[in-house]
Amino acid sequence: MGKLARYGSGSAWKGASVITEALRAFYAVPSSADRDISLDLDILRRRSRQLFQNNTFSRALLSSFNTNVIGTGIKARPSLKRVEILGISREEASAWEKKTQDLFELWANSKNCDAERKNDFAQLQDLAFKTTLVCGDCFALPCYDKNLEPFGLNIKVLEGDRCQNPFGMADTDALTEGVEVNKNGAPVAYHFTQKPAWSLDEYTDYIDSVRVPAFDAFGNPNVIHVFTSDRTDQRRGIPMLAPVILQLKQQERYQDAELMAAVISACFTAVVTNNVPEEAEDLYGNAVAENAEGENVTPSAPTLEMKPGAVWSLAQGQDIKNLNPQRPNVNYQPFVESIFSEAAAACGVSYEVALRKFNSSYNAVRAAILESRRTYDRLRHNFISDFCQPIYEKWLAQAVMTGLIDAPGFFDDPVKRALWCGCRWISDAAFLLDPLKETQAIKMQIDEQLLDRDSACAMVNGGEYDVVTDALARELEIRKEKGLGEPGSVSKTESFSVSTDDVKESALN
């Protein structure tokens, strides 16, 4: 009884029973996070990559994540807090923030920030995040090129396949899937192949490898590892499509079959029957046959092909019967949409957002967008923490070291260094389903002092309030210089330009 209770009597939790008919064959293999991943990660990556390349829903799903999380790029806004600790005034801090932002944008907007000279920083974000979704994780190595003045820093993005044990070594607790850790599970070093796995010279993939320490002398990461961990002691990430690979592949097969059936039903479809058995002949389809050696064989009998509007003359004794495949299938759309709904929900979003298909009511669509936004915000926060902020800190350390930026105490005091590295990251504005209603709601929150105008600008157009006010001030100067009136003074519409007090005053008069 003791042994039975130990292995699942189901007396307390029915889900632990090994006696119940429904759970008798349900055996869960005990395994650590690293063991689970190391056994299946390679094939999961390859299958996920194939689905992203060839499966329409998989590509639409992952592209929706990329569009909503990264968009046109996540912008850095240096932000200094506790300026009294840094020994500067608020005015000096504002000037420092503006200068640092301008210099970082000079670097970020140039393709010199990419070791391959193909992408600017926003495009690197897009590439790194997409790689993380498809492969499970992504690596980035900060590199330095003295010929790229004045900054020199550039980023090399690597797919997860390139991080692997050298010489095909077996996984151990200390080194698994190319990640070397200490006794606490913190990364110590990473092992990368010199060239992409399965390259043209693939025989060198497991031979030419390099060990890169995880951190430099200042504690900054030498290796930027972007992934989401689902369990403790997990070193590598898994593709987002991993839990739904089976459903998506089966759906792809079903979609191909339905499409072929619809094509065939649009053609002349018939079955030829022969009522004279001794005169029966072999029929050949549209495809050329092959013999046992794989060579093409020319049909000896006439080929009957399916063609739109085709009419065939039949031999004596032959009859023709029409086939009715009943296409298009009226159950196709609700069936595949149920699969799409489950797959999208497993990834944390609604299928309406993934497919860009908004046929429901305003409230239903808004709920779907807002619920999906929670997932996008969480993924964006993780990506900023894993990719954007470490790169910004690397760039800032180099800028301070070369004298481009003055930051007293940066390398001497860890607290001051953390304060100097403060940065807000601004993404694209969220999608407004009904701009009028949602802008009015934002205005009410501002009027009730529940929201500041800087946050409101970010919500509406992804901008910053101080940038907007600077632009408005310049506009005001230009209007005064040109002798122009205030905006809306020439032609006002009653619904937008006339206030409620104006309407009441007119009624009283």
Side-chain angles (χ1 to χ4, degrees), residues 202-214:
E202 62 181 65
Y203 65 92
T204 63
D205 291 348
Y206 295 93
I207 299 176
D208 297 335
S209 62
V210 59
R211 180 181 183 272
V212 181

Side-chain angles (χ1 to χ4, degrees), residues 46-91:
R46 283 183 277 142
R47 286 178 173 175
S48 176
R49 193 176 289 125
Q50 284 293 318
L51 285 174
F52 177 72
Q53 292 174 179
N54 300 301
N55 184 276
T56 53
F57 176 74
S58 300
R59 192 172 190 89
L61 178 63
L62 298 187
S63 296
S64 71
F65 277 93
N66 223 35
T67 300
N68 286 278
V69 174
I70 304 300
T72 60
I74 308 174
K75 286 79 174 177
R77 297 293 181 264
S79 178
L80 300 182
K81 298 180 179 179
R82 303 302 300 271
V83 294
E84 66 276 6
I85 297 179
L86 298 175
I88 59 177
S89 65
R90 184 66 260 177
E91 291 74 18

